[in-house]
Amino acid sequence: MRQGVAMVGASQPSSAGPRVFLSYAHDDDRHRNLVLALAAFLTRSGVDVDLDMWLTGERQDWYAWVLDRVTTADFVIVVASPRYRAVGDGTAPSAKNRGVQAEAAVLREMLYADRARWLPRILPVVLPGRALGELPTFVQAHSASHFIVREMTDAGFEELLRVITGQPRHVRPPIGAVPALPPDEPVALTWSLLPFPPEVPWFGDLHVGGPEHAALEVHLVPLDGAARISALHLAGAADALTDHGMRSGLFSTGTSVRTHGSATAALVWTPCAGLAMRRDGARSAWELLPFADVGAVFDAESVCDQVMRLLGSLNGVDAALPDEVVPVVGLESIGVLRLGRTAPWRFDLPERVRPRADEVIDSHWVLADPRSVANELTSRLTAALRAW
């Protein structure tokens, strides 16, 4: 018999169930009796287990026996104990427990040679009165699955038996057919008519001097009292607007930026563009139209892109938008204008065109779909110009 170690293998193999090799160190009689009870339970449960004490008295070549049982078993159970931990980690005296030393060496070799195959086949088990830290390091008790038997009963052994017999507690259901899920109906941008249009901070009413030629202006006006800004916040808004104009590309690098502040508004502008914010929460942006020969060019497609860019500038201005806003577009200092890239020059247009600001939208559209907002504003401005 091996010194200080008992091994369980299949001396009378049966095809009725899975084959299990049980490896444990013979620490004391109590531990030995617990292992005997485990082996008996597994055998009664249809698992092909054989204990060395159940063998006939024939002389055994234990190393050959270990190698045969390990390589032919479906699973190898390693039972935690202080002696097995010492042997498995190489800290036990080399002159003792030579049988279990050879056994642990075989298991380490198998893991090293083919980890993918052997890791799921080696089952670390902790019986009552033992601890997880008494398993040898090579079984990876902390980083891989292990089995703690809290009581020597059918319920205590159940999880281990489920793994050995391939009967998981929770079975994945068959994969069904992919259901047909219709898309949500698209939500359209809705413009709601207001009974009383809000006051719009038109560029020409700001008394800061007119632009060199026709300028496109875009405003986001909140409903009464919906987004008021404190006087203290407004006092420092000019610097924030200047920085935003530079970051958004509305102001060219190196261009001189003029500022104006009052108790009701903050404005920053260059000869080509500007930004403004009023205490009531209204925000404005303007930019010159392209100039060619004798006047500005109003090309609807290009103007739509310009309106969308100005909306983007307003969406990023300092304070958050209120829930609802009135988007407004207009032209200031029109002078000579061409309605299209190849259209004739118009000298009969008014100084400014300001479509009515009498419809409100949910402000999230300014961020979610600025193209739709810009298309609508451009269409209104184009219609107002062609009406002249």
Side-chain angles (χ1 to χ4, degrees), residues 70-310:
V70 167
T71 55
T72 58
D74 296 304
F75 295 97
V76 176
I77 292 178
V78 174
V79 183
S81 71
R83 183 174 295 182
Y84 205 122
R85 172 63 185 259
V87 170
D89 289 358
T91 60
S94 59
K96 296 183 177 181
N97 310 115
R98 289 178 177 173
V100 75
Q101 287 189 42
E103 182 178 345
V106 169
L107 294 176
R108 285 196 300 266
E109 181 67 19
M110 296 299 179
L111 273 172
Y112 184 82
D114 193 346
R115 180 168 296 275
R117 179 188 178 197
W118 283 94
L119 184 66
R121 294 175 65 180
I122 297 177
L123 308 179
V125 172
V126 180
L127 296 178
R130 296 305 184 192
L132 193 63
E134 294 175 353
L135 284 164
T137 303
F138 71 83
V139 301
Q140 298 178 235
H142 293 281
S143 61
S145 302
H146 57 264
F147 303 88
I148 297 180
V149 179
R150 303 190 184 280
E151 56 185 37
M152 303 294 287
T153 62
D154 290 2
F157 292 126
E158 182 176 340
E159 290 304 316
L160 178 62
L161 184 62
R162 284 184 176 276
V163 172
I164 294 173
T165 58
Q167 302 180 84
R169 183 180 298 275
H170 305 288
V171 179
R172 176 179 175 175
I175 298 177
V178 176
L181 302 174
D184 291 340
E185 291 296 327
V187 179
L189 170 59
T190 303
W191 299 74
S192 301
L193 187 65
L194 296 170
F196 303 102
E199 179 186 355
V200 179
W202 296 108
F203 184 90
D205 300 337
L206 298 177
H207 309 294
V208 294
E212 296 178 354
H213 59 267
L216 178 70
E217 52 184 312
V218 175
H219 310 271
L220 294 177
V221 184
L223 300 182
D224 292 342
R228 291 191 64 80
I229 299 171
S230 69
L232 180 62
H233 187 87
L234 193 64
D239 289 339
L241 289 174
T242 300
D243 291 341
H244 178 68
M246 291 293 185
R247 290 196 307 272
S248 66
L250 189 62
F251 301 155
S252 300
T253 303
T255 303
S256 175
V257 179
R258 299 180 62 185
T259 64
H260 173 76
S262 68
T264 58
L267 299 86
V268 297
W269 71 98
T270 71
C272 299
L275 288 169
M277 180 183 292
R278 287 198 321 193
R279 180 134 189 243
D280 64 1
R283 57 191 72 189
S284 307
W286 61 92
E287 188 176 36
L288 296 180
L289 288 178
F291 191 86
D293 299 327
V294 298
V297 178
F298 185 96
D299 175 73
E301 184 177 347
S302 298
V303 168
C304 184
D305 291 338
Q306 200 168 357
V307 171
M308 190 168 67
R309 184 168 63 252
L310 292 176

Side-chain angles (χ1 to χ4, degrees), residues 59-75:
R59 187 172 180 236
Q60 296 285 343
D61 181 340
W62 289 112
Y63 184 81
W65 184 79
V66 167
L67 194 58
D68 175 67
R69 293 301 186 267
V70 167
T71 55
T72 58
D74 296 304
F75 295 97

Side-chain angles (χ1 to χ4, degrees), residues 191 327 355-356 358-359 375-385:
W191 299 74
R356 285 179 60 83
D358 58 359
E359 292 183 78
N375 278 333
E376 177 65 21
L377 293 178
T378 302
S379 296
R380 295 182 184 188
L381 185 56
T382 302
L385 282 169

Side-chain angles (χ1 to χ4, degrees), residues 308-332:
M308 190 168 67
R309 184 168 63 252
L310 292 176
L311 284 171
S313 296
L314 294 181
N315 184 63
V317 168
D318 203 8
L321 288 173
D323 292 339
E324 294 182 312
V325 292
V326 179
V328 190
V329 67
L331 280 181
E332 176 67 27

